[in-house]
Every structure is written in structure tokens, then in C-alpha cells.
Amino acid sequence: MKTTIIASAILYATLLASCSQAPVSTPAAKEEVKACCSKDNVPEAGEVSDESLFNITSKWTTQQGTPFVTTDLSGKVTVAAMIFTSCQSACPRIMADLKNIRAALSDADRARTHFLLITMDPANDTPERLKAFTKEHQLDSMWTLVCADDDATAEMANVLGVRIKKLSGGGFDHSNTVYVLGKDGVIAHRQDGLGQDPAGTLQAIHTQLQ
Amino acid sequence: MKIPVFLILMMCALQAHSHVADTSGRMARVKGGKYLPLYSSDSQRVMVKPFNIDVHAVTNADYLKFVKAHPEWRKSRTRTIFADTGYLRHWTSDTTFDSRLANSPVVNVSWFAAKKYCECMGKRLPKVAEWELVALANERLADASRDKAFNQWVLNWVSRPSHKVLPSVGSTFRNYYGVYDMHGLVWEWTFDFNSALTTGESRGNSSLDNTFFCGGGSFDSKDINNYAAFMRFAMRSSVKANYCVPNIGFRCVK
């Protein structure tokens, strides 16, 4: 009997600990469900801008294997793009575009501009793979590469408005956009398409750094 | 010692009871199968694993419970990055709406809101392939794509303007799987709606999506009868995840 009771208690505790329970109508359980499903620390109204990427609370991992959340970008000006490292055609070009942007910045701006690469291919782009990619592309410490699970990846893509179609033969069709994020996490500028004149992007970075 | 244990057991019982009593969460089993995406060749058939799908779309009453438990999703509290200003525009306040709408599908909800709702129910949004697989069914057949009358019926619905007052869930037909209203009531969000690429933004070597606006494109499709599927494809390619639209609702799968 005692074992059953303990087992029931453990079972119940487990149910509460998972986020997979539907809201229930009992007042006692309601708070528990709410606590369990609100595991994301949603920012209070007014804390961050309505349009800020800092509203995203999903958990990411960097190429160093360290945790990353969007608010880690707070106070920084960041150039961001979604990529996947096994990409044969468009990604090398988006990498070239990003490097061109970085090279074209003034020394003062370059020293303060961060670069964020978000993988759209979490199945293959592990932190180790991302680290190898930084070596292949000789990316220094101003570059952060991050990966997360499918849900977080889809959410990020949808916040950025990136369209991603997984191809049956491997790889993805996707939109190619470079984003400039202000210190408040709001998208200040977007450069759509490959091989674009980066003048607008450079200007946006400069403005955001002021 | 006895009392807390009793309480725990009772809470379990209450939870189990409320779960059974709540028919809005009823799901139907779909055995899975193969789905051929638009603009794909036979080799690109998507294998869909077995899953459960909500029998009904999520209603206003269902959604009210969610926003009560998750105040950050009340319309006065949502952030535009996750839901545009149309969010729950048919509700009269954070927690009220015309009582006639209680059992109608909730609309004016963004993809982010729909995704979060399903997540908190221990479910998820269906993938396009899963949704479309279920949508192939009429009352009798799992795959009614060759049924001209069925295709015409679906097409008639998508060609009509939306209802002024949305009917209740269950007001159209019950399909082969026991699922209601896949057609005839509202459009529905899917997890990977953003995989519909129709513009020049996709890679140059992808022939399929760039042909969408070309008249010949439809003849490449294996499913030329299913015009409604093309309309859903166009709908998915035209929305963004924070859009809140008066004729897009959702249901969850597991």
C-alpha cells in the first residue's frame, strides 16, 4: 500500500513537472499547471520593446557549448542571419556577404559589431559542427553560432520571417536575409537577397552603434 | 501523513475526471501514410507517421481557458512580435466574447499563439503533410482526391466569402478518421506553414516553387484536381507567423 501511495505521489509530481498537461479546472491544480507551462520567463510588459527579439525565451547553445538566450545580445549591435553549415550553394554566398559587410565597416564600428549565425538545421548543426565551421571560415570571437531544437528554430525563423523548406534530398530552400539588430533587440534593418549592395546595412549598423 | 496522501490521490482523481469530461480535447487516430506535396515528383513523397489529431478545431471557449491560465496571451498583453494588432479582435475584452461564439473555432490567433496553446496542452501544431493527409478524406474514404464531387464541394467553400458569424465546430462533415471541419469552416495554422516558398527568394536551382505563378506550373503537379490545395498553399505562403486573420484557426496533434 505504502509503495502504491508513494508511487502515486511520485506520478502526480511527475505530471506536474511536465508541461504536457492540459489545463484543468480544479482551482488547486490550476496554479500548478500555470507554473509548469509558464516555464519561459516571459518579460513583463514594458520591460522590452514589443518588437524586440528579446521576447524570445527559447534556450540555445553556442559553438562553445555554452547556453545562449536572445537577451545575451542586450546592449550590443548584432548582424544576424540564418544558415546551415552543410549548405552547398547559397550559404557560402551569405557568408561572403556577411564577411564583406564586416570588412567594409570602419575599424571603430567593426570592433563593436557582433555577428550571430543561427542554424536552420539543428539535426546536423551540433555545437561541435558549428565550432568546426568557425574554424573553416576563420571566424573570431565576435561571431556567435547557435543551435536549438526544432521548435525554437521554427519560432526564430518565424520571428525573423525566414522561409525554410526542407528538401527531400537533404538541405533546404530558404530566404536569404541579413538582419541588423539594435541594442534593444529590435530589427533595425534587413538586407534581402544575396549579393546586395551593403551600403544600407553599413549605415544601419553605424546608426545603431551611436 | 494520511491527509496529504489522500489529497494527492483526490487531486489525481479530479485531474483524471476533468480530462475525461473535457470533450473539446478529443482526438482521432490517423494511421499515417504518404503525402505528396504540391510541385513534387513521386520520389518526393513524404512519409507521415501515425499520429492523433484533434477532432475539432480549438474553440473560443477552449482558448479562453488558455488565456486565463496564461495571462501573457491575453490580448492586452501580447507583443506584436508574436501577434499583430488583430489578435482576438472579435473578443470584447481580454476574457469575453459574444456567447454565440463559444463553440466556434477561435480565429484571429497568430501561429505563435497557436503553437503555444498546443504546447501547453501537451500537443503540437500539425505539419503541413499531416494536415493535408487528414484533409484528403471525405466521409467514406481516407483519400478522396479522385472524388470530383468532394473536390467541388471543398472548392465551393474556399470560393465563398467567410461567414459573418462563424458556425460552431462540428457543423460540416465528419471525415473517414472521425475528424470534423477540415474543410468548410476555417483555414488552419500548420507548424511548417513557412515552408511554402513562392517567390524569387528561394535558391535559383529550385525549380518547383518559382513556377508557382506560372500557368504551366499547375500541370507539373500530380494533383491537378485539387485546386483547394493550391489555395491553401498560396494562403500559407502569404501569411506571416504573427498575422491574426479572421478566417485562420487551428487544431493540435500529438
Side-chain angles (χ1 to χ4, degrees):
Chain A
M1 179 58 190
K2 199 163 193 180
T3 320
T4 319
I5 291 166
I6 293 169
S8 305
I10 292 172
L11 175 67
Y12 191 63
T14 315
L15 286 175
L16 287 182
S18 84
C19 197
S20 62
Q21 282 299 297
V24 291
S25 51
T26 54
K30 203 174 213 172
E31 285 308 305
E32 300 290 354
V33 169
K34 185 184 153 194
C36 113
C37 276
S38 299
K39 61 184 192 312
D40 305 339
N41 293 316
V42 179
E44 287 298 318
E47 221 171 86
V48 298
S49 158
D50 244 29
E51 298 284 352
S52 173
L53 261 65
F54 300 162
N55 288 298
I56 299 173
T57 54
S58 52
K59 306 210 169 11
W60 295 72
T61 306
T62 69
Q63 77 270 30
Q64 310 293 355
T66 53
F68 175 88
V69 286
T70 54
T71 46
D72 292 348
L73 304 174
S74 184
K76 299 170 182 173
V77 173
T78 306
V79 178
M82 286 192 85
I83 61 149
F84 66 107
T85 65
S86 58
C87 183
Q88 297 301 311
S89 67
C91 299
R93 293 181 59 196
I94 206 164
M95 283 307 299
D97 282 359
L98 288 165
K99 287 179 179 174
N100 287 342
I101 288 167
R102 189 156 193 247
L105 287 168
S106 69
D107 289 348
D109 284 358
R110 191 182 312 117
R112 294 191 295 146
T113 304
H114 295 257
F115 285 76
L116 177 71
L117 301 179
I118 303 156
T119 182
M120 63 182 82
D121 185 16
N124 294 308
D125 285 342
T126 58
E128 296 74 37
R129 175 74 200 111
L130 294 177
K131 188 163 191 176
F133 189 77
T134 61
K135 291 207 174 123
E136 288 160 27
H137 284 264
Q138 300 174 323
L139 307 177
D140 66 20
S141 63
M142 292 301 271
W143 295 76
T144 305
L145 287 75
V146 294
C147 58
D149 60 20
D150 286 343
D151 260 19
T153 305
E155 183 189 49
M156 180 66 81
N158 274 325
V159 165
L160 295 172
V162 175
R163 288 190 170 261
I164 302 171
K165 181 192 170 88
K166 194 163 189 168
L167 302 174
S168 52
F172 303 81
D173 273 346
H174 57 96
S175 40
N176 290 295
T177 304
V178 172
Y179 303 85
V180 178
L181 306 178
K183 294 172 184 174
D184 55 359
V186 176
I187 297 171
H189 180 80
R190 46 196 304 158
Q191 178 180 311
D192 289 314
L194 296 166
Q196 303 295 312
D197 177 356
T201 304
L202 296 169
Q203 182 56 49
I205 294 168
H206 188 73
T207 307
Q208 293 300 315
L209 283 168
Q210 300 310 303
Chain B
M1 177 59 201
K2 277 248 151 48
I3 291 165
V5 169
F6 169 74
L7 271 179
I8 286 168
L9 291 175
M10 192 169 132
M11 283 161 80
C12 280
L14 280 172
Q15 189 165 23
H17 173 73
S18 68
H19 186 69
V20 172
D22 185 9
T23 55
S24 63
R26 256 192 311 146
M27 302 188 90
R29 185 72 173 164
V30 179
K31 62 183 182 302
K34 283 181 181 169
Y35 164 68
L36 181 62
L38 290 174
Y39 305 108
S40 305
S41 61
D42 273 331
S43 63
Q44 292 170 313
R45 279 186 188 275
V46 176
M47 280 300 297
V48 179
K49 289 184 191 148
F51 62 101
N52 296 312
I53 185 164
D54 285 351
V55 166
H56 297 299
V58 174
T59 64
N60 285 297
D62 297 332
Y63 201 77
L64 178 62
K65 289 186 214 159
F66 167 72
V67 298
K68 281 184 172 170
H70 301 279
E72 70 272 20
W73 286 100
R74 292 178 185 214
K75 63 176 180 171
S76 63
R77 294 265 311 264
T78 52
R79 293 126 291 158
T80 48
I81 194 172
F82 294 140
D84 71 19
T85 52
Y87 181 64
L88 295 178
R89 82 184 89 177
H90 63 296
W91 285 25
T92 43
S93 80
D94 268 357
T95 53
T96 55
F97 46 78
D98 184 336
S99 59
R100 286 176 301 169
L101 292 173
N103 286 318
S104 302
V106 65
V107 291
N108 293 317
V109 285
S110 66
W111 177 88
F112 295 103
K115 176 172 174 286
K116 191 50 132 184
Y117 177 98
C118 293
E119 206 174 283
C120 286
M121 294 293 160
K123 302 178 186 177
R124 60 183 174 80
L125 281 176
K127 293 189 171 170
V128 171
E130 291 169 330
W131 197 98
E132 290 289 339
L133 186 75
V134 178
L136 285 175
N138 66 3
E139 289 98 325
R140 294 174 300 106
L141 302 168
D143 181 356
S145 56
R146 306 255 175 277
D147 182 332
K148 279 190 177 153
F150 174 65
N151 285 328
Q152 192 57 48
W153 184 88
V154 172
L155 190 59
N156 285 349
W157 169 63
V158 296
S159 325
R160 267 199 313 268
S162 299
H163 303 274
K164 254 194 180 145
V165 175
L166 265 181
S168 294
V169 295
S171 62
T172 72
F173 70 98
R174 179 183 189 274
N175 79 6
Y176 170 85
Y177 299 104
V179 177
Y180 288 85
D181 311 318
M182 293 300 285
H183 309 284
L185 201 52
V186 287
W187 305 97
E188 296 182 12
W189 282 113
T190 44
F191 179 75
D192 50 348
F193 79 95
N194 75 344
S195 63
L197 291 155
T198 57
T199 67
E201 71 191 359
S202 58
R203 293 205 318 245
N205 61 0
S206 89
S207 58
L208 38 117
D209 295 303
N210 289 332
T211 59
F212 184 70
F213 293 111
C214 167
S218 59
F219 297 104
D220 278 343
S221 165
K222 292 288 177 283
D223 200 5
I224 56 168
N225 296 317
N226 200 347
Y227 291 109
F230 287 93
M231 294 183 73
R232 288 193 294 276
F233 185 93
M235 178 273 289
R236 289 178 191 128
S237 67
S238 66
V239 291
K240 289 183 177 168
N242 70 335
Y243 282 17
C244 298
V245 182
N247 57 359
I248 301 183
F250 69 102
R251 71 180 78 213
C252 313
V253 299
K254 198 170 180 175

